Amino acid sequence: MNDSVSMPAQPADIPSVDRVLRLPGAQALLDQYGRAPVTAALRRLLDTLRAQAVAGRLTRHAIADAALCDALAAQVQRDSQPRLRAVFNLTGTVLHTNLGRALLPDSAVQAVMRAMTAPANLEFDLDTGGRGDRDDLVDDLLCELTGAEAATVVNNNAAAVLLMLNTLAQRREVVVSRGELVEIGGAFRIPDVMQRAGARLVEIGTTNRTHPHDYANAIGPRTALLMKVHCSNYEITGFTRSVDVAEVVRTAQPHGLPVVVDLGSGTLCDLARWGLPPETTVRDTIAAGADLVTFSGDKLLGGPQAGLIVGRADLIARIKKNPLKRALRVGKLTLAALEPVLRLYRDPDTLAASLPTLRLLTRPAGEMATLAGRLVPAMQAALGDAWQVSAVPTVSQIGSGALPGGQLPSFGLAVAPRDAGKRAGRRLQQLEAALRALPRPVIGRIRDDALWLDLRCLEAHDEAAFTGQLPGLAEALHA
Ligand SMILES: *Cc1c(COP(=O)(O)O)cnc(C)c1O
């Protein structure tokens, strides 16, 4: 670089928008992206350069024609990237709420595509030519898989709980154990939902112990129902007592009161058959006498975001008549995705292969260990000698409040800075940020003075995409 280009530039040296737009490099961008986005990006770029010039930090080199066009191209590309992007979930949490929870099987993806591009019989009865009900598309499948009499679908499980309580318990009392007053991340708290539903919460028992007589003593003239909530994201251990659904049902029956259960993750199959921690199924809960059960579509079920309500036909009918149901209903894309996912459950023998969530949860640690062995050299080469990359055993979590105690043996990469001393923490944060800055961001976790990348959710079909962008890591690290 010679002296004239490394000389500081003054604000007055910065060219006008019009002049830059006339450069051949800018013309090419105009042709590709259109005038409005390129002009907007250029104004932002020139504002940044002006601020640098005022601060005395701008060189003439940075405002040469070629440099301006390169910076403009980079800015326009950044602006035109979709905001919702595919990432690599190497956090070790399979159902990661912040990363979109369950991935859909191919049959569901195809169904969503069809529903997006062609009219469909969403609320149209093809047999009679009359009006249909969108719930009809999945309610018999839900009944078959859960043993319930009736079913309905809303936007998510939070909506399902709200709608259920508002329909059955407005201006009346709902009895819940103090051990089950759950808060789910993202501001779902049983007492708050209860209040918004217009129901009055009656807390019984203590944090660690609730007995059948606590339920019995709480029942009065204003009681609408007894409710149980799955302790999705915590465990109470030690000196404990809780009352199972069947016992609550026995207490409620003489009073003619319904028992409702918010099952949270709600699985349709016994997970123990795949060596996963056992979890009460929706069918077990219905069989135990619950009148209504609510659960999520995108947790262990492995489908799209949805809230499912199954149970007694008369209660489901009342729920469907509530005007809030119209406000909380699901769209056709959700129903399109849900139906094929539910269909997969009709053949549990093939489920571990066909349903991505179960496939990931049951992936043997040996597979991740082999993958780790392949990825260590690639990662080490990308990062250079300043980093130590090792293949390490780790444990994955199921996530999304499913089975808090459930841990799955896995394998991953641990990346630690060499000889960084006191700067180690900062270097790890830089590495974490560089991984996030890759074209397809890689999300890991910093723990024990290393960055951990759990390989459970890096499947064969994505391996080339992962290794392909590693060479860009060094550049991202020094950007
Ligand atoms: C996850 C969960 C919810 C909220 O479900 P969303 O589908 O995320 O709305 C409610 N209750 C329990 C017990 C849960 O685990």
Side-chain angles (χ1 to χ4, degrees), residues 97 101 155-161 182 184-185 188 190 229-233 262-266 294-299 305-307 400-402:
T97 296
R101 293 192 185 160
N155 180 60
N156 55 15
N157 188 33
V161 174
V182 176
I184 305 293
F188 175 91
I190 290 293
V229 185
H230 189 275
C231 304
S232 290
N233 45 13
D262 172 11
L263 209 48
S265 206
T294 74
F295 53 105
S296 291
D298 56 353
K299 292 185 180 173
Q305 179 190 304
S400 267

Side-chain angles (χ1 to χ4, degrees), residues 371-391:
L371 178 56
R374 275 204 301 279
L375 292 182
V376 165
M379 189 65 128
Q380 188 67 71
L383 286 171
D385 293 339
W387 297 87
Q388 164 83 49
V389 182
S390 355

